[in-house]
Amino acid sequence: HGNHVNQKCIEQMPPDSVTFIIAAIEADPQKMACHMYGCRVVQRLLEHCGPEQLQGMLNRISINIERLAMDMYGNYVVQHMLEHGRVEDKREIIKVVERNIVEFSKNKCSSNVVEKAVEIATVGEHAALLEAERSSLMFTVIGDPNNPNSPLKQMMDDRFGNFIVQRMIEHARGPERERLHQTLQQSATLLQRSAHGKHILNALKKEQAS
């Protein structure tokens, strides 16, 4: 399989020797990112090549984050950009996540991107530089505690969204942590009624005990 050969080249050869693979990907990075095998080649490039070498590819992928995040294969590329991309790529992805938070959180593919965004913005390599974006994302999700239709309340009983709420409990800090805990405790009766809600309450108890 050609894709395995490409992956091995990227893993074993010096980054300067794989420019021919980068050039091929740059011709249509969105198409490659959404392909079962192409997405793996893009992921290996992100792992093994420097951002300056991948600038063209990163720039072209960055303008299609919304579509890629919801794609069966593209979401893995977006997650890899959150781990291995430039700080500006991470900022852009977090902003896209914030703008589409409810839709992304209820989608099987993009909910993984939301979880990764919360994690990377809190404990990732560039976390200190992403504090403003992280805080904005957290407060957007929590919303107004008195709003029955806030993003948080829409996510709590969703089969994918509830995992993001659990990840937020794990990574929330300072004032947002207090607001998140308070909002969830106000909804405890509602959460007790569903399996997803019980998972959230268990995560909350675990966090408060630690």
Side-chain angles (χ1 to χ4, degrees), residues 15-168:
D16 289 347
S17 304
V18 296
T19 49
F20 68 99
I21 298 175
I22 297 170
I25 297 286
E26 278 182 349
D28 195 346
Q30 183 174 319
K31 183 179 178 183
M32 294 302 287
C34 293
H35 188 274
M36 183 193 295
Y37 300 121
C39 75
R40 296 176 194 173
V41 176
V42 176
Q43 287 172 69
R44 296 299 86 75
L45 287 172
L46 287 163
E47 288 167 8
H48 295 280
C49 299
E52 64 289 337
Q53 201 179 356
L54 301 176
Q55 199 167 342
M57 183 187 87
L58 290 168
N59 290 344
R60 293 192 66 186
I61 290 176
S62 289
I63 59 174
N64 290 297
I65 295 301
E66 196 168 328
R67 181 183 165 192
L68 292 174
M70 299 187 81
D71 183 79
M72 181 193 244
Y73 303 112
N75 81 90
Y76 294 111
V77 170
V78 179
Q79 289 182 66
H80 251 60
M81 282 180 73
L82 281 165
E83 285 197 52
H84 303 284
R86 305 166 297 187
V87 67
E88 58 262 39
D89 300 321
K90 299 178 186 187
R91 281 199 180 107
E92 180 58 30
I93 293 167
I94 294 167
K95 285 176 185 170
V96 172
V97 166
E98 185 176 343
R99 284 198 304 270
N100 298 277
I101 189 61
V102 174
E103 186 182 10
F104 274 17
S105 297
K106 293 183 172 188
N107 176 276
K108 182 180 180 180
C109 299
S110 52
S111 64
N112 295 318
V113 173
V114 181
E115 280 195 63
K116 182 65 74 175
V118 171
E119 176 196 329
I120 291 297
T122 309
V123 295
E125 179 191 357
H126 296 119
L129 300 171
L130 298 169
E131 180 54 37
E133 287 77 15
R134 191 193 73 81
S135 179
S136 179
L137 173 62
M138 289 289 203
F139 278 115
T140 294
V141 174
I142 298 165
D144 180 350
N146 299 314
N147 178 3
N149 209 32
S150 67
L152 179 66
K153 287 173 183 168
Q154 292 186 62
M155 290 156 62
M156 289 188 315
D157 197 31
D158 182 78
R159 60 183 176 147
F160 304 121
N162 83 92
F163 289 108
I164 296 162
V165 177
Q166 292 177 61
R167 195 67 63 243
M168 286 178 63

Side-chain angles (χ1 to χ4, degrees), residues 173-189:
R173 303 281 182 270
E176 82 211 10
R177 182 178 185 271
E178 290 172 34
R179 173 98 66 92
L180 177 63
H181 286 206
Q182 180 189 2
T183 306
L184 291 173
Q185 281 161 347
Q186 285 172 356
S187 305
T189 308

